[in-house]
Amino acid sequence: MLEIKGLRARAGEKEILRGIDLTVNAGEIHAVMGPNGSGKSTLAQVLAGHPAYEVTGGEVQYDGNDLLDMDPEVRAQAGIFLAFQYPVEIPGISNAYFLRAAYNEIRKARGHEEVDSMDFLDLLEEKLRLVEWGPEIMSRAVNSGFSGGEKKRNEILQMAVLEPRLAILDETDSGLDIDALRIVASGVNALRRPDNATIIVTHYQRLLNYIVPDRVHVLSAGRIVKSGGKELALELEAKGYEWLEQEVGAAS
Amino acid sequence: MSSSVEALVNKEYKYGFVTDIEADSAPMGLNEDIIRLISSKKGEPGWLLDWRLKAFRGWLKMTEPHNWPNISYTPVDYQALRYYSAPRTAKPLGSLDEVDPKLLETYQKLGIPLTEQKLLAGVAVDAIFDSVSVGTTYKAKLAEAGVIFCSFGEAVREHPDLVRKYLGSVVPASDNFFAALNAAVFSDGSFVFVPRGVKCPMELSTYFRINAADTGQFERTLIIAEEGASVSYLEGCTAPKRDQNQLHAAVVELVALDDASIKYSTVQNWYAGDEEGKGGIYNFVTKRGKCVGVNSKISWTQVETGSAITWKYPSVILQGDNSVGEFYSVAVVNGRQQADTGTKMIHLGKNTRSTIVSKGISAGRGQNSYRGLVKVLPKAASARNYTQCDSMLIGNRCGAHTFPYIDVQNSTASVEHEASTSKIGEDQIFYLKQRGLNTENAISMIVNGFCKEVFKELPMEFAVEAQKLLGVSLEGSVG
């Protein structure tokens, strides 16, 4: 589904990604871990097409198409969803209106008819249960005055409604208490299907107690320095990132 | 992002067409003879001509205000303008059926059908074309309820006592430079009278269209709500695209007696000039309401997206005890537009209350200023004001300015002022694009959210129009 080869990117003058290779197949969950500043959030943003980053090398194929050539909204319409580390507030626009607009834009792009607000409410009801929310959240303005945990939960709700083919969760676990973490994780697990995939970007191992990854990759200074199974995350948790950086340093 | 945005910036102003119609125009220039000509064309009584001439003599001693407003433009050459232009008609019109088909077609193109069967249900329209009213719909139905809704010229002929009693009672002819000019040369406008105890059975609306070149539009609107009466009124405005600036200097006076309420909404979309600032309307308007009676209420809602320059402060004089004044405003500048707009709330009576919500949006190289005065006089015990003044910036070349004046002379009054400035950032737009919206829809959503508190004050049919208009005005504003 996703094939990244030699991806390099910079923000301003600073090169952040320095040659990323990563393949994600349908049905898989990948965890991308690494210390602060290793480039993991940049990878998530570059895949979604954030204009602050300039791709300077490499290629990314998504379902056989050149992902880097697509506008951010086209990527979204093609099924790429980024759960933001810092979701943006949109005062004055209700969560329901916003979500229906997004849902319909994506439907339109795929040649489906738009749904009206009544049909959309039916669909929402089921998705709200997934994040253990009542309908009152839908009349609040998008992320406006939401707590940090509520914002992250709202990202998962959006993901549940938009049903992406490739979801990228950018530090969705940071700043969550244990209950919110469980809700977020069960949401992600419930949406797991053989034809979609998830990339979880995280600093800590704890989210991976709830969402079991197929592959774990460790990023350091803009490169993937080690990949392995789910046990790699536990090893990192026990030994810390210094262990890996020393090991990589010794090997090279 | 910027290339698609550049393309969008040059989106056509869709009301910029010209109607080719033979006009009966006054010669260029302004002097007492021109004023006599206007007055005689309209068949006015002597007292009104005298009122005009007095205003004109006062105006000659005044100077165009250039020092205090935060706008800059070359002073207007008042002798290079025409002060009267009317579509030539063979005979006075008896009904809408006799209106020139070319005019009907013009309003059709503007989305304002004047034939009653095609009208928006429940909205009566007075259509003003250059200097005259070309027709008013639903007059008979309104008359049944006792409501008078007609052109100003007709009101002078049919209801001279009412006009004489209230004309200039809120905005005197000597009020300011543009109000004095209007008093001298005003051409037409709308007149509304809602008698005691009557709730006007439908929305009233006036549609202003400037067509002729080198012609100023100087309409005058007077709305009176007697004891316990209520009315909701909306005006819309467009003009053809022309390279020269055109002058629009209107006066609106509202009078609310005991327990009366007037809601006045404006959706202003005059031609704004091109992206380099060539052409466009100079919109110098004086609007003021007077809550004469106890428990009366006057509410202004304005959505200002057009005009090269906007100079406008819809105000309320809160004279009656417990009276309420409101001002809800969205002002958008893009390209080279300049707006200096806001309100004045003058608290005279006890326990008077006012609310000001101003949303200024600046894009392109636009300059947007909020200017507001809250004045509480010594007898206005327990007066209250709440002001919220928010500015939004789109891009790096525009400006937002705030000039609040607060003058409180009674210690029991309470006045609150809140202000904020925000910028539509790349992150906000990216967030919406990541959810599948294109740049245009993303900006439109953010801006509509920002303006929501004002839009919800508009009559429903027009709130939708206003949202669309805002989308069009801001297309291509981020680069």
Side-chain angles (χ1 to χ4, degrees), chain A residues 45 49-50 73 76-77 80-82 84 88-93 98 101-102 105 143 155 158, chain B residues 1 426-428 430-439 441 444-446 448-450 452 467:
Chain A
Q45 301 269 3
H50 196 293
E73 64 270 35
Q77 289 156 6
I80 290 184
F81 178 91
L82 174 64
F84 283 67
V88 170
E89 300 187 3
I90 309 166
I93 296 293
F98 163 67
E105 286 293 340
N143 295 328
E155 294 292 289
Q158 292 173 35
Chain B
M1 181 154 69
E426 207 168 53
D427 282 331
Q428 244 177 336
F430 178 65
Y431 186 71
L432 295 176
K433 287 177 75 140
Q434 215 300 307
R435 296 299 183 255
L437 280 70
N438 62 27
T439 307
N441 290 342
S444 162
M445 185 178 277
I446 294 164
N448 276 311
F450 177 72
K452 190 184 177 188
Q467 286 189 22

Side-chain angles (χ1 to χ4, degrees), chain B residues 149-414:
Chain B
F149 179 39
C150 62
S151 72
F152 207 97
E154 188 181 331
V156 169
R157 288 191 301 273
E158 309 289 325
H159 312 282
D161 295 344
L162 282 174
V163 174
R164 199 169 181 180
K165 181 171 177 191
Y166 290 106
L167 177 69
S169 69
V170 185
V171 180
S174 57
D175 191 78
N176 67 68
F177 182 83
F178 296 114
L181 176 64
N182 175 286
V185 302
F186 78 88
S187 38
D188 217 334
S190 297
F191 177 82
V192 177
F193 178 80
V194 188
R196 182 185 298 241
V198 172
K199 308 251 172 277
C200 186
M202 60 178 77
E203 298 273 349
L204 304 183
S205 164
T206 298
Y207 195 89
F208 295 103
R209 173 74 176 170
I210 296 179
N211 188 63
D214 309 318
T215 302
Q217 186 163 15
F218 306 94
E219 81 273 3
R220 193 158 186 117
T221 297
L222 176 56
I223 299 178
I224 301 135
E226 281 197 328
E227 291 82 353
S230 69
V231 61
S232 169
Y233 177 92
L234 183 126
E235 61 171 1
C237 336
T238 60
K241 285 168 82 160
R242 294 189 188 276
D243 289 345
Q244 283 79 36
N245 294 110
Q246 285 183 280
L247 180 62
H248 172 251
V251 170
V252 175
E253 297 180 275
L254 311 181
V255 178
L257 303 185
D258 290 355
D259 302 299
S261 90
I262 301 174
K263 182 177 175 63
Y264 192 106
S265 313
T266 302
V267 176
Q268 184 264 110
N269 187 24
W270 295 120
Y271 177 53
D274 67 13
E275 57 269 43
E276 295 307 317
K278 191 164 192 200
I281 302 287
Y282 289 168
N283 192 33
F284 300 135
V285 171
T286 304
K287 292 183 169 176
R288 195 173 302 151
K290 197 172 193 176
C291 285
V292 176
V294 296
N295 305 318
S296 57
K297 177 177 175 181
I298 288 178
S299 180
W300 298 101
T301 305
Q302 60 171 18
V303 178
E304 303 279 325
T305 62
S307 298
I309 297 178
T310 298
W311 178 100
K312 170 178 179 195
Y313 316 91
S315 303
V316 185
I317 298 168
L318 297 150
Q319 181 179 307
D321 291 348
N322 309 318
S323 59
V324 175
E326 294 175 340
F327 174 73
Y328 297 95
S329 169
V330 168
V332 183
V333 291
N334 197 357
R336 301 273 183 158
Q337 283 175 273
Q338 306 174 62
D340 192 304
T341 184
T343 185
K344 289 187 274 188
M345 294 290 175
I346 313 294
H347 293 257
L348 298 171
K350 289 187 196 66
N351 198 30
T352 46
R353 283 161 291 152
S354 62
T355 303
I356 299 170
V357 177
S358 163
K359 303 279 182 175
I361 299 161
S362 312
R365 296 183 181 208
Q367 293 294 329
N368 209 337
S369 300
Y370 166 79
R371 188 180 302 277
L373 169 67
V374 176
K375 187 165 188 167
V376 179
L377 284 124
K379 287 183 179 161
S382 305
R384 276 170 290 160
N385 163 266
Y386 171 74
T387 299
Q388 183 191 334
C389 182
D390 299 323
S391 305
M392 177 175 270
L393 297 163
I394 305 176
N396 298 320
R397 295 180 299 178
C398 54
H401 317 271
T402 307
F403 304 96
Y405 306 86
I406 298 171
D407 176 3
V408 180
Q409 300 172 22
N410 183 305
S411 60
T412 61
S414 95

Side-chain angles (χ1 to χ4, degrees), chain B residues 449-467:
Chain B
F450 177 72
C451 299
K452 190 184 177 188
E453 290 152 284
V454 175
F455 286 165
K456 71 178 168 52
E457 298 296 327
L458 284 173
M460 233 241 300
E461 302 87 331
F462 301 108
V464 178
E465 281 306 305
Q467 286 189 22

